[in-house]
Amino acid sequence: MIELIDTNSAEIAAELQRARVRAGSPAMGMVMTLVIVVEADDAEGAMRAARAASHEHPARVLGVILGDARGAAEIGAQVGTGSGWTGETALIRLKGEVVKHPESVVLPLLLPDSPVAVWWPNHPPADPANDPLGRLAQRRITDAAAAARGKTKAMQQQCRTYTVGNTDLAWTRITPWRALLAAALDQQPLRVTRASVTAERISPSADLLAAWLADRLKVDVERMSSSGPGITEVVLETREGPIRIARADGKLATFSSPGRPDRPVALKRRDLPELLAEELRRLDEDDVYAETTRRLLKMETAK
Amino acid sequence: MSAKEIGNPLRDPRDRRMPRIAGPCGMVLFGVTGDLSRKKIMPAIYDLANRGLLPPGFSLTGFARRDWADQDFAQIVHDSVKAHARTEFREEVWQQLAEGFRFVPGNFDDDLAFDRLRRTIEELDELRGTGGNHAFYLAIPPGFFGDVVGQLNEHGLARPRTESWRRVVIEKPFGHDLQSARELQDILGDVFPSDSIFRIDHYLGKETVQNILAMRFANEMFEPIWNSNYVDHVQITMAEDIGIGGRAGYYDGIGAARDVIQNHLLQLLSLVAMEEPTSFDARALRIEKQKVLSSVTLPRRLDLTTARGQYAAGWAGGVKVPGFLEEEGIKRTSTTETYAAVTLNVETRRWAGVPFYLRTGKRLGRRVTEVAIVFKRAPHLPFADASTEELGQNALVIRIQPDEGVTLRFGSKVPGTQMEIRDVNMDFVYGGAFTESSPEAYERLILDVLLGDPPLFPRHEEVELSWQILDPVLEFWARQDEKGKAKPEHYESGTWGPASADAMLARDGRVWRRP
Ligand SMILES: NC(=O)c1ccc[n+]([C@@H]2O[C@H](COP(=O)([O-])OP(=O)(O)OC[C@H]3O[C@@H](n4cnc5c(N)ncnc54)[C@H](OP(=O)(O)O)[C@@H]3O)[C@@H](O)[C@H]2O)c1
């Protein structure tokens, strides 16, 4: 890691280049740039998660810490290529006036002619697509569940400002649930009459899952509370009996369906690197998420 | 009609995040004590479970001639998973998987054992909801395929009830010549329909091999030069640095050509040489692969266009190793080849006049599998002869293992010289993705078996076409042995094969790449 003090984009770019040559390989076959907008305290964890995810999708990872916007502009950076992974990182600290113009720092550092993803690990802008950094990206990743307070509001806000390219890790987290539920109906094509999702009282993922079920199945979906962790049960009622996936411990679920024996199934809550890697696998529009966000808003206003 | 109105309302083709999870099913594994089961199949099953891709209630039944209880079998699986699985070991995943383990002791000729097997499977359907769907994985010597398949048939295990399936999975070798391949097909085909027989060629499960089709057909810049106008020749290499290890019994009498060229290398050839399929479904792919395999011909003079060898004692990678004829279990007079190279022509408009050189061997310089498309020289070089002395032919190399990726070789000016041109390599690696986080070949293939997704499995037509290509070479070598005319030529371990293989290319004015 090289520490740059009182620096600018050109110097950071030059240092990235030098670091690559030092690592012995000026071409690293990176496929995208990942920008992380993060608080100083959370920067290390976020960068670590991004590095892990970039094993699957080699990326230039640019961490941006937006400091206090008062005073004279000041830019500091930590630049490095990791050993043991393909990709490179720069953690950039902005202070003073430049905090209002972070895109001017990031734009020159984007890899040429390749996609850009931006991730806000905790404090997403209200409208990511109109954020100065968000505008640079094809993929804008928020995480409503990481909000310290008002997670539910945060999710609704993201749904309201949904634009092509937006996504939220609350949605990513439920992919395994959705896959299992879809598989259940593949196996027994029963007509669902009613459904319920039980989870911690506050859970953006559970709200999205309920909205997705309501949108796809066109039935009422009840949202019930438990003490978690996360989502603990999903039930699809059918005339033949319920299809139920219950997971009490966040790891192992029991799968029950009409006329079949109960079966255990691994359904572990996934870590950040896995979630990020899933997000970065496809950068085109996620139509199903778009429809789910619209449904969630409708369900909220209907309440 | 939109996707919503038909079938499962939770499915949507636009929903590409959703992983494919197999429906309710179980697998019966024959040969659980074998190398293949322990090193590949069991770890892959655990990895699939860990990734959440196995159906709830998935069950694995082991069958072997051991006096074991279910727990003993679970212990074997546990050890092999600990030793060979690629994903992290998680107790809760293991627990739920292990609940579905059963063991049936018995010999292949033991009717009682197969009765027990039937009852075990029925119990699993009852208890774990496997729904009558079962795959029989025959990880046993091919000589026993007939016995086992016959038993499965006799005990009513091969026939599915309505709305369920029974599949059989086999590994190479698929026979040892055309006739035996047909006999094997007859045995299997008598009991299982063609689309229920899954032949594993694990190369086809590799990301880099699937990437051949992506590279060729998703890009505009390769296809225009992918023909005899620009391509000089193609080299397909699978080299191993190891010897036959403890597998003398399997290897003696089989040899390199049957073991590797007939399946892996001819499959690679067909992917590289085939025309664009109308789609990527199994049928369309098969049509194109069969077309290209049926257009492969051998040159007339097999003595000049093939080569075979046996490794001799020597130093390989700093280790002193014995020669093939000194290996335990190999007869001093064995004429089994451990190195084989063949020249093939593909008689199509695209490839007329472009030879495909295939080679494989044990105890070669290093472990590597690659396909190299070697291009013609530029027709005119506006440089002085001296400045292009170091310039070879352009090449596109698809590296299949171990460092998976693509290399492009082309000429470039040597910095600091006036105009000196030499070959440089441009490497592409898709991060660790091809190796780390993506499922291993066996995982992908086992999942495809359980899903009933056939594109990555060769059908018997392809197998038979491949033997048709190779049989004349094998017969020619056998005749030479009989007449005492020629024997496999010895090559020193740790080198790149016999001199006759180099001579074979030299006759055409070409050289092997050092991969
Ligand atoms: N190993 C590989 O990487 C590899 C690669 C490609 C293809 N294959 C093919 O895969 C199959 C299995 O290979 P492998 O290397 O695992 O072979 P292996 O180590 O020799 O194992 C063969 C298995 O078959 C069982 N078996 C043999 N004769 C039997 C009999 N008469 N009755 C009951 N069980 C019997 C053995 O059980 P016992 O312990 O009771 O003898 C053992 O579990 C073969 O068809 C091979 O050609 C293997």
Side-chain angles (χ1 to χ4, degrees):
Chain A
M1 281 290 175
I2 301 281
E3 192 74 46
L4 300 176
I5 302 164
D6 197 10
T7 186
N8 58 35
S9 302
E11 283 179 22
I12 297 172
E15 188 50 46
L16 280 168
Q17 169 70 21
R18 267 197 299 278
R20 274 195 267 159
V21 172
R22 267 199 306 277
S25 168
M28 317 247 318
M30 284 174 288
V31 298
M32 66 175 78
T33 308
L34 174 62
V35 180
I36 308 175
V37 189
V38 67
E39 315 264 283
D41 289 347
D42 304 320
E44 207 188 305
M47 294 296 276
R48 207 176 321 116
R51 270 200 298 273
S54 73
H55 278 248
E56 187 172 324
H57 312 284
R60 172 177 283 185
V61 179
L62 302 173
V64 180
I65 299 173
L66 300 174
D68 190 340
R70 283 168 302 186
E74 197 186 314
I75 304 176
Q78 253 179 11
V79 178
T81 53
S83 64
W85 66 293
T86 44
E88 53 191 13
T89 58
L91 181 60
I92 305 166
R93 291 175 308 273
L94 306 182
K95 262 198 258 173
E97 262 188 290
V98 69
V99 167
K100 299 224 173 69
H101 308 282
E103 75 283 10
S104 74
V105 179
V106 168
L107 184 69
L109 296 175
L110 301 179
L111 290 174
D113 211 12
S114 56
V116 179
V118 58
W119 170 40
W120 291 271
N122 33 33
H123 297 293
D127 182 1
N130 279 314
D131 174 85
L133 287 172
R135 268 199 296 267
L136 298 175
Q138 281 80 37
R139 197 53 150 198
R140 292 170 291 273
I141 307 168
T142 55
D143 189 356
R149 255 176 293 132
K151 296 187 209 296
T152 308
K153 280 246 160 53
M155 190 70 246
Q156 288 166 11
Q157 175 61 29
Q158 291 307 328
C159 290
R160 258 193 297 280
T161 53
Y162 174 80
T163 307
V164 174
N166 288 15
T167 183
D168 194 283
L169 294 184
W171 173 244
T172 325
R173 286 190 184 91
I174 57 175
T175 304
W177 281 95
R178 296 195 305 117
L180 211 52
L181 288 163
L185 289 192
D186 282 342
Q187 292 163 23
Q188 288 179 297
L190 303 174
R191 222 178 70 77
V192 178
T193 52
R194 202 148 54 79
S196 70
V197 174
T198 310
E200 283 171 59
R201 197 172 60 77
I202 294 176
S203 164
S205 286
D207 298 345
L208 282 172
L209 186 55
W212 175 68
L213 287 172
D215 195 58
R216 306 299 308 187
L217 299 172
K218 313 281 180 242
V219 297
D220 286 333
V221 181
E222 198 177 350
R223 172 74 172 81
M224 297 191 287
S225 296
S226 70
S227 54
I231 300 171
T232 50
E233 189 179 67
V234 177
V235 181
L236 308 181
E237 298 286 355
T238 75
R239 207 160 301 154
E240 286 74 8
I243 295 172
R244 172 184 288 116
I245 303 173
R247 181 188 71 179
D249 63 355
K251 289 177 183 166
L252 190 64
T254 304
F255 182 99
S256 335
S257 56
R260 309 254 172 110
D262 286 4
R263 289 162 275 170
V265 56
L267 191 62
K268 185 178 162 271
R269 307 180 80 188
R270 296 180 296 168
D271 323 327
L272 267 180
E274 280 176 85
L275 298 173
L276 268 185
E278 176 181 321
E279 273 315 320
L280 299 180
R281 220 164 279 151
R282 298 186 184 88
L283 299 174
D284 54 348
E285 180 171 9
D286 188 340
D287 307 279
V288 179
Y289 177 59
E291 285 162 11
T292 305
T293 59
R294 284 198 287 275
R295 172 65 56 179
L296 184 72
L297 289 176
K298 269 191 214 142
M299 286 164 70
E300 286 308 321
T301 42
K303 261 187 196 166
Chain B
M1 194 166 21
S2 92
K4 285 182 200 172
E5 285 147 18
I6 43 171
N8 184 344
L10 296 182
R11 289 261 176 234
D12 186 329
R14 299 169 308 164
D15 197 345
R16 290 181 302 132
R17 277 174 197 270
M18 282 222 210
R20 305 175 309 157
I21 302 181
C25 64
M27 181 185 276
V28 179
L29 185 54
F30 292 92
V32 291
T33 54
D35 192 61
L36 180 73
S37 294
R38 286 179 299 113
K39 292 205 179 123
K40 296 289 183 190
I41 304 171
M42 296 171 183
I45 285 174
Y46 171 81
D47 288 329
L48 284 171
N50 205 358
R51 292 180 205 275
L53 302 179
L54 290 184
F58 177 83
S59 305
L60 179 69
T61 305
F63 187 102
R65 45 182 177 180
R66 293 286 189 287
D67 202 8
W68 282 348
D70 292 348
Q71 303 88 286
D72 303 313
F73 173 53
Q75 189 59 41
I76 298 288
V77 186
H78 185 268
D79 295 348
S80 93
V81 167
K82 277 265 166 137
H84 301 290
R86 288 155 30 99
T87 58
E88 172 201 8
F89 188 84
R90 300 205 329 248
E91 196 55 40
E92 77 275 7
V93 173
W94 171 256
Q95 282 305 338
Q96 60 106 358
L97 190 61
E99 276 179 35
F101 291 164
R102 299 289 183 275
F103 184 76
V104 177
N107 273 313
F108 298 149
D109 55 7
D110 183 350
D111 283 322
L112 286 177
F114 279 84
D115 255 343
R116 268 198 302 278
L117 181 61
R118 199 193 60 236
R119 280 202 307 279
T120 306
I121 286 179
E122 284 166 0
E123 252 169 55
L124 287 171
D125 290 344
E126 195 66 25
L127 260 164
R128 310 230 344 137
T130 39
N133 303 313
H134 297 275
F136 300 99
Y137 202 130
L138 310 189
I140 51 172
F144 295 106
F145 287 178
D147 295 353
V148 173
V149 167
Q151 289 281 29
L152 292 177
N153 193 27
E154 244 161 67
H155 292 84
L157 285 155
R159 269 180 313 277
R161 298 186 315 244
T162 44
E163 309 226 339
S164 68
W165 51 259
R166 296 289 157 104
R167 297 178 184 137
V168 65
V169 188
I170 59 170
E171 290 268 345
K172 68 166 190 182
F174 313 124
H176 51 86
D177 57 15
L178 180 58
Q179 186 178 345
S180 57
R182 286 198 171 133
E183 284 163 12
L184 174 63
Q185 172 55 25
D186 287 343
I187 291 173
L188 296 170
D190 266 353
V191 177
F192 291 96
S194 278
D195 55 8
S196 299
I197 305 172
F198 288 76
R199 291 174 192 76
I200 298 237
D201 184 327
H202 67 276
Y203 268 66
L204 299 183
K206 286 180 179 289
E207 293 277 356
T208 32
V209 173
Q210 292 156 34
N211 194 37
I212 294 175
L213 296 182
M215 222 175 71
R216 287 193 56 196
F217 301 122
N219 295 302
E220 182 61 14
M221 62 194 223
F222 300 119
E223 204 53 24
I225 54 170
W226 211 263
N227 55 52
S228 61
N229 293 335
Y230 297 94
V231 176
D232 179 65
H233 69 282
V234 177
Q235 300 186 7
I236 304 180
T237 303
M238 175 179 155
E240 291 177 282
D241 52 0
I242 53 170
I244 55 162
R247 302 186 71 206
Y250 164 74
Y251 204 80
D252 200 14
I254 295 288
R258 289 187 174 95
D259 192 34
V260 174
I261 294 183
Q262 184 272 336
N263 36 59
H264 308 317
L265 298 196
L266 283 173
Q267 283 291 328
L268 288 176
L269 177 143
S270 66
L271 293 175
V272 169
M274 73 184 199
E275 296 300 318
E276 184 170 78
T278 51
S279 77
F280 281 111
D281 68 24
R283 207 178 136 265
L285 275 172
R286 199 167 63 235
I287 291 175
E288 293 307 331
K289 278 161 85 182
Q290 277 169 225
K291 246 166 67 187
V292 72
L293 287 173
S294 17
S295 59
V296 170
T297 62
L298 289 166
R300 212 169 41 81
R301 291 284 303 269
L302 293 178
D303 54 335
L304 304 178
T305 55
T306 68
R308 56 182 175 143
Q310 282 174 343
Y311 59 84
W315 286 81
V319 181
K320 194 167 186 287
V321 296
F324 177 65
L325 296 180
E326 291 130 46
E327 298 273 15
E328 208 182 301
I330 300 291
K331 281 195 297 292
R332 292 285 167 279
T333 51
S334 170
T335 55
T336 302
E337 82 283 358
T338 65
Y339 178 101
V342 297
T343 308
L344 301 177
N345 300 314
V346 180
E347 305 278 346
T348 62
R349 176 175 282 239
R350 182 190 288 268
W351 295 115
V354 179
F356 282 68
Y357 300 111
L358 277 50
R359 64 172 160 167
T360 180
K362 291 194 179 284
R363 285 262 188 258
L364 297 182
R366 73 183 185 99
R367 171 174 171 258
V368 59
T369 302
E370 61 165 44
V371 177
I373 319 289
V374 182
F375 292 93
K376 293 185 171 161
R377 282 177 196 284
H380 166 72
L381 290 170
F383 304 98
D385 283 352
S387 56
T388 55
E389 257 172 21
E390 284 182 72
L391 179 65
Q393 285 164 278
N394 296 163
L396 178 83
V397 183
I398 299 163
R399 308 194 309 269
I400 291 165
Q401 68 179 15
D403 51 345
E404 314 182 320
V406 180
T407 298
L408 199 56
R409 188 172 88 144
F410 54 93
S412 167
K413 180 174 173 296
V414 180
T417 61
Q418 202 183 3
M419 185 45 88
E420 198 63 51
I421 297 169
R422 71 158 54 134
D423 289 323
V424 295
N425 286 315
M426 191 161 81
D427 282 325
F428 161 75
V429 187
Y430 196 109
F434 278 148
T435 48
E436 269 177 48
S437 33
S438 54
E440 198 257 350
Y442 269 94
E443 286 175 58
R444 168 73 199 259
L445 294 175
I446 289 175
L447 182 60
D448 280 2
V449 168
L450 302 180
L451 287 162
D453 199 15
L456 300 181
F457 301 91
R459 294 242 307 196
H460 71 95
E461 293 92 338
E462 285 162 59
V463 172
E464 288 172 18
L465 283 167
S466 303
W467 282 120
Q468 249 165 41
I469 296 168
L470 203 59
D471 270 359
V473 176
L474 298 169
E475 282 158 19
F476 171 74
W477 286 343
R479 271 201 309 280
Q480 285 199 318
D481 287 342
E482 270 164 36
K483 290 192 205 147
K485 252 179 140 177
K487 278 200 303 202
E489 183 188 359
H490 288 195
Y491 58 97
E492 204 179 316
S493 286
T495 65
W496 281 105
S500 53
D502 295 334
M504 164 184 139
L505 256 70
R507 272 180 216 110
D508 293 354
R510 300 188 175 101
V511 289
W512 290 109
R513 276 171 51 82
R514 180 165 46 74

